[in-house]
Every structure is written in C-alpha cells, then in structure tokens.
Amino acid sequence: MKVAIHHNPHSFSDRWIKYCEKEKIEYRLVNAFDSNIVEQLKGYDIFMWHHHHAQYKDVLTAKRILFALEHAGIKVFPDFKTGWHFDDKVAQKYLLEAIEAPLVPSYVFYDKKQALNWAKQIKYPKVFKLKGGAGASNVKLVRSYSQATALINTAFGRGFAQFDRLGYFKERFNKFKSGKDTFIGVLKGFARIFIIPKFAKQLPAERGYIYFQEFIPNNDSDIRVIIIGDKAFAIKRMIRENDFRASGSGNIVYDKNEINESCIQLAFEVNNKIKSLCTAFDFVLYNGRPLIVEISYGFTSLAYDLCPGYWDENLIWHEDEFNPQFWIMENLRKEIVK
Ligand SMILES: Nc1ncnc2c1ncn2[C@@H]1O[C@H](COP(=O)(O)OP(=O)(O)OP(=O)(O)O)[C@@H](O)[C@H]1O
Ligand SMILES: [Mg+2]
C-alpha cells in the first residue's frame, strides 16, 4: 500500500505521518499544488489532504484536485461525499434537506426582492450567516426588519468581507476580559482592523446571496459530535457571555455526562446517509430534540485530545485514549484491503 500526503503543519497530516511511521507504511509527502500532481500520484493507493478554509490556495483548488483523483481510482481523504459541502453552509442546507436530516430551518435567497419580501413577513430574531468561516466569526443575530434589510442591501450590493475585522477585535478583547487572551492578543486584534491578513485579502467578497436560520433559543451551549467510521466522540461548547454563540468561545466541557446521547445517535444515523468518512456535527437543542446547525469534515485536532473516551455504533461508551486521525487512516486502509 502506498500513501501520499499533502502536509500542512498543525493539521491532521502531522498525525497521519506519525501513523505511517508507526505502522511502517510506505508514504510520500507531496505538494498538491504541483501542476503535474495527477501524474505524480500514479501508482498510489491513498491521497490525503486536510485542506483548510482559511488557506486561500486550499479553498481555491483542494476540492478539484481531490475529486479528480477520486476518478482515477485513488482513495482520497476527504472524498467527495465527505468534503463537497465543506465550509459551505448553503450546500449543507440542501444536502441535509435532501436526506431529510433535522436541520435548523434555513433560508437562502439569490434575489434581493424575494429576500426583502421574506424579511417583511417573518418573526424576529433570526440568525444571519455567511456560507463560510469558523469560530462563529460570520454568524450574527438579526433582531429586526431594519437589521435584516441592512444585511440584504449589503449582500446584494458591495458584499461582505469574509474576515470581519471589528468582530475579530471585539472577540479578542472579550477573551482578554475573561482571561482567555493576553493583552498582546488584544493589540494584535486592534492591528488587524488596519492590517488585513493575507488570506482575507485574497478571498473575494461574499455577495449575491443571503442566508438565514431560525434562531433556536435557550441553548447555553452547542454539542459537537464527530463521527469517524463506527466511532463517535463529542464535546460541549459553552456560549460566550452575553452572546448566543458557542463555537470559538474556548469554553469546552469534556464530561461525557454533559453530552445528550440523542445527539450521538442522530449523528450516526445522518452520517450513514451522507456516507462521509469523517463528519463533525454541531447541534443545538429545541425542546430537548437535537437540530443540526452545520457540518464539517475538518476540526482542530488539539481541542479533542482531552476527550475521555468515545462511543461505538451501539452507543456503548469506551473510556480510553484515542487518535481520530489514526482512525481515519485505519478506515482507509481497510478499504484498500477489501
Ligand atoms: N440557528 C441557531 N440558533 C441558535 N444558535 C445558533 C444557531 N446557529 C448557530 N448558533 C450558535 O452560534 C455558533 C456558531 O455558529 P456556526 O456553527 O454556524 O458557525 P461557525 O463559525 O461555522 O462555527 P464552527 O467554528 O463550529 O465552524 C454555534 O456554535 C451555536 O452556538
Ligand atoms: Mg459550528
């Protein structure tokens, strides 16, 4: 078995490399951006790339390369079913509706008049989101028709920057206040108001569509469940103070008893329909029932190292250390042997 890996330091690839070394698997690090990458990968069984939403070249072309290689019969990670909807909440809306999964009711408009008509008739608040981004950076509560119209005008006018400079500064300042960031961090946040990071400059403005979700009230947290094959692990993320958003708050609960098991069950069921190799599901609860907020194949490895164990498909708990990136590789290996 021959494995090729596009290595992004601090991504899943750190651990994929470790796995190959531990298991004495023949592997090579490749640069997926080489024009002849398809040629280079002839004879390989597996190609893996943990591409990232905040790396411009990844966003531009990772999916194309991966899915083209899939046509060549190479097992890729993330494959099409795992990754086509990555960092695209609008794509996820269509996917989850298509498989009749319980998604937070979501609305998208590609026409300004239609959006304004809708905004006139609905009850507030609603949640506005850009299709991409993480850490809740592009997620806002819309409390009134006038706020909604302002957003609609921007969406069908100059558009939104994917990097919210003021929001980033506020986030660092609030984290500093609650002891989760340093004063230097706040200064860096302040500097970012004027000096936009390179990736953000390259990303085009988000325009020509607008996306809203129903606001699901009374959640002091969201539950993130990650499914890899027949195993699941989960964390609870507490919301920020005076806010409704959990992801990116840095306040994580690892206690198994804090995780609503119906989220685990549902995540297994939905993942079986999506047929994804790895999915992180974000849930909020509505009258005790889990609703999906969004899904993603990628996540920050380090945040899950403190998970005390995992569930199997029969919802049996295994209190044990584990390595999700190893699981991904083990599952791909099994596919090759089949
Ligand atoms: N419709 C909703 N109703 C209530 N709370 C919501 C809703 N949508 C999002 N949230 C809260 O806001 C947070 C951020 O939303 P979301 O997960 O859509 O954004 P994100 O930036 O893509 O996050 P991630 O870092 O998980 O990728 C969630 O963790 C959840 O706590
Ligand atoms: Mg999320």
Side-chain angles (χ1 to χ4, degrees):
M1 187 177 78
K2 282 172 77 178
V3 178
I5 298 172
H6 178 94
H7 182 38
N8 260 334
H10 314 299
S11 80
F12 290 180
S13 56
D14 289 338
R15 297 182 184 187
W16 290 335
I17 293 168
K18 271 198 194 128
Y19 179 84
C20 289
E21 291 188 341
K22 181 169 99 49
E23 296 290 314
K24 308 213 172 359
I25 291 171
E26 185 181 346
Y27 78 96
R28 191 180 122 206
L29 301 185
V30 294
N31 179 4
F33 298 113
D34 285 347
S35 182
N36 67 348
I37 185 65
V38 174
E39 177 70 31
Q40 285 185 38
L41 292 184
K42 290 224 162 98
Y44 280 82
D45 302 293
I46 293 177
F47 172 61
M48 311 183 72
W49 181 359
H50 179 195
H51 58 84
H52 196 270
H53 70 273
Q55 295 201 7
Y56 182 65
K57 287 196 291 182
D58 289 17
V59 175
L60 188 66
T61 211
K63 289 181 189 178
R64 298 170 178 162
I65 296 170
L66 285 157
F67 305 156
L69 287 164
E70 210 171 334
H71 282 274
I74 299 176
K75 276 265 156 220
V76 302
F77 182 89
D79 65 359
F80 182 77
K81 292 207 159 151
T82 305
W84 73 269
H85 42 79
F86 173 62
D87 202 35
D88 187 341
K89 292 179 168 70
V90 179
Q92 293 159 24
K93 163 190 152 63
Y94 296 127
L95 168 64
L96 294 168
E97 288 173 354
I99 62 170
E100 297 180 2
L103 159 79
V104 172
S106 303
Y107 313 93
V108 64
F109 302 95
Y110 304 96
D111 181 89
K112 185 172 173 181
K113 249 199 208 140
Q114 257 186 5
L116 287 170
N117 278 340
W118 176 82
K120 239 180 251 163
Q121 298 160 18
I122 53 163
K123 286 210 179 87
Y124 290 89
K126 291 281 185 282
V127 179
F128 161 81
K129 301 183 182 185
L130 293 182
K131 64 180 165 48
S137 53
N138 298 322
V139 175
K140 289 192 173 77
L141 198 63
V142 186
R143 294 170 202 278
S144 64
Y145 172 64
S146 73
Q147 273 183 4
T149 46
L151 290 165
I152 292 166
N153 283 331
T154 306
F156 294 97
R158 68 183 149 79
F160 299 95
Q162 288 189 47
F163 181 70
D164 175 5
R165 293 186 257 176
L166 215 55
Y168 182 74
F169 169 64
K170 281 189 198 150
E171 173 90 346
R172 293 207 85 148
F173 185 70
N174 287 333
K175 281 200 170 152
F176 170 67
K177 277 201 306 190
S178 60
K180 289 201 190 76
D181 203 345
T182 58
F183 187 62
I184 299 287
V186 177
L187 288 182
K188 280 188 184 158
F190 186 66
R192 280 280 171 242
I193 297 177
F194 310 101
I195 310 162
I196 308 168
K198 190 167 148 234
F199 84 86
K201 270 195 226 157
Q202 287 168 315
L203 294 172
E206 290 281 305
R207 58 155 73 99
Y209 75 94
I210 192 150
Y211 177 73
F212 295 99
Q213 277 188 337
E214 287 299 337
F215 172 62
I216 309 300
N218 308 323
N219 281 275
D220 63 358
S221 54
D222 77 352
I223 304 275
R224 169 165 277 202
V225 180
I226 300 181
I227 305 282
I228 299 175
D230 55 4
K231 299 190 181 75
F233 53 102
I235 57 174
K236 184 186 231 183
R237 305 183 295 191
M238 306 310 294
I239 55 172
R240 296 158 174 80
E241 211 177 309
N242 302 321
D243 200 324
F244 71 103
R245 299 166 311 157
S247 119
S249 72
N251 193 347
I252 299 177
V253 177
Y254 292 95
D255 182 359
K256 165 200 181 259
N257 300 319
E258 291 285 315
I259 308 290
N260 182 323
E261 277 204 353
S262 56
C263 295
I264 310 285
Q265 168 109 40
L266 184 60
F268 272 123
E269 281 168 21
V270 175
N271 202 54
N272 280 339
K273 289 192 187 168
I274 301 177
K275 300 193 166 49
S276 159
L277 303 170
C278 174
T279 316
F281 293 87
D282 293 350
F283 292 106
V284 289
L285 297 178
Y286 182 62
N287 293 335
R289 272 190 29 238
L291 291 178
I292 303 172
V293 171
E294 63 151 350
I295 58 176
S296 165
Y297 90 89
F299 52 89
T300 313
S301 308
L302 290 177
Y304 301 87
D305 284 346
L306 295 173
C307 287
Y310 60 90
W311 290 263
D312 63 25
E313 256 178 332
N314 301 317
L315 300 197
I316 294 173
W317 171 255
H318 301 259
E319 192 135 327
D320 209 351
E321 272 181 24
F322 60 94
N323 186 322
Q325 290 73 25
F326 283 19
W327 286 348
I328 292 172
M329 287 218 72
E330 277 162 15
N331 291 342
L332 283 173
R333 245 177 120 174
K334 281 184 215 151
E335 288 294 310
I336 299 293
V337 175
K338 258 185 207 167

